[in-house]
Every structure is written in C-alpha cells, then in structure tokens.
Amino acid sequence: MPTSPSSPPPEGPVPGDPRPPGRLRRAATALWRGLRVGGPPRRGSERELELCRQERDRWQRYADSYERDLNRVRLERAQLLAWLAALHPASAVLVRGADGIHQLRIEAGGRQLSWPLHPADLGQFAHIPYVRHAGPYGRTRWDQAAHLRRHTRLLAMEGMLFTTAPDDR
C-alpha cells in the first residue's frame, strides 16, 4: 500500500510494499525527517545561515559607506552652486518646476546653466531670488530664449561641419 508523499515512510516493513526493508528504509526515513519543513535545522544550514548573515552585514556596511559619501558629495555640490550663484547675483534664480523639483538657473557667458537641487539643500540658497511663475511646460521666456540660442549655435556648427570646401568638389 503506497503512502502519501507528505507522510514519513513507516518504520517497520509493510506487507506488499515493494521497497526493501532494513537499512535502506531507515536511510530514507532519516532523509525524509531531515528535509521536512519545521524539523530541527541541520548543522550545515546553521553555518550557512551565519555566513549569509555575515555577508549581508558586510554589504550593508558598504551601502552605508556609499550613502555617507553620496551625502558628503551632495552637500559639497550644493555649497559650490551657492557660491557660484553668489558670483552671478544678477542672473541667478531659483525655479520650481511643474514636477516640484527646484532648479538653480544662472546665465553666464551668454549661456543658461541649470542644476536640480535636493530639497535638503534649499536653505543654502536663501540669498537667491525665487521665480514663482514659470511659463508653459515649466519654462520661462528666459529659458526658451537660451534654448533657441543653443540650437542656433548647434545648427551653425552642423553647417560648418557638413559643408564641403570648394576644392573638394
């Protein structure tokens, strides 16, 4: 009589059972008990579990170290941007985009420069005027003009690159 896969094999021989009695049955019973859910953990799995925990802790220390480095670099970037905005007080403005992200915008050398700012760093930019109303699509007219100038320069450069010289014809 076959047994269900969830029940352990019987200890003693059962009449009509095709499996051999003796040591093989005892080995199958021991294997089943070792593999069943809720049984006592094997010594090997305890060691493997401890190794996995140590590896997880090691990677967590790496992640924490990277996060500290990232925060330090973000703070230094914000300080440099605040200093740059102080150097260009006439053109530096803060703009809040449609997506809620604040940007520092500066016009320097005829070009518009912009950087997204982290919300935690906004306190360093208190000396910069805040533009509350942006144009359609989150852009100001100043931004659109810079966009057009940038594309005009790119088209001029493209024209210079792809025109052939008279002697090449």
Side-chain angles (χ1 to χ4, degrees):
M1 160 175 181
T3 59
S4 69
S6 62
S7 63
E11 293 291 333
V14 176
D17 191 0
R19 293 177 292 185
R23 291 187 344 197
L24 185 58
R25 178 171 300 256
R26 286 192 297 273
T29 304
L31 181 63
W32 183 86
R33 285 185 181 149
L35 294 177
R36 71 179 177 178
V37 178
R42 298 183 314 230
R43 288 185 188 148
S45 64
E46 288 175 357
R47 185 172 184 276
E48 290 172 6
L49 180 63
E50 183 59 32
L51 288 174
C52 287
R53 286 180 180 155
Q54 290 173 359
E55 188 75 9
R56 180 202 61 200
D57 293 341
R58 183 172 68 93
W59 281 107
Q60 185 63 47
R61 286 191 302 272
Y62 283 140
D64 293 343
S65 171
Y66 291 143
E67 186 177 4
R68 283 190 302 272
D69 290 344
L70 182 64
N71 285 337
R72 190 182 74 243
V73 167
R74 181 186 51 80
L75 180 63
E76 184 176 342
R77 175 184 175 266
Q79 290 170 348
L80 286 171
L81 288 176
W83 176 72
L84 186 63
L87 290 177
H88 298 277
S91 65
V93 294
L94 282 177
V95 177
R96 183 175 181 169
D99 52 1
I101 296 176
H102 289 82
Q103 286 189 339
L104 171 66
R105 292 186 180 169
I106 298 174
E107 188 164 340
R111 294 186 175 176
Q112 181 195 6
L113 309 170
S114 64
W115 295 271
L117 300 175
H118 193 273
D121 299 331
L122 290 177
Q124 297 184 19
F125 298 93
H127 63 284
I128 299 172
Y130 185 74
V131 178
R132 295 197 184 276
H133 301 290
Y137 308 109
R139 295 183 171 225
T140 62
R141 287 188 192 143
W142 173 62
D143 187 28
Q144 289 173 354
H147 182 73
L148 289 174
R149 284 192 304 272
R150 184 178 320 120
H151 282 283
T152 304
R153 280 194 302 270
L154 288 174
L155 288 172
M157 288 178 7
E158 182 180 306
M160 288 181 352
L161 290 174
F162 295 115
T163 57
T164 57
D167 58 347
D168 291 342
R169 291 182 189 173

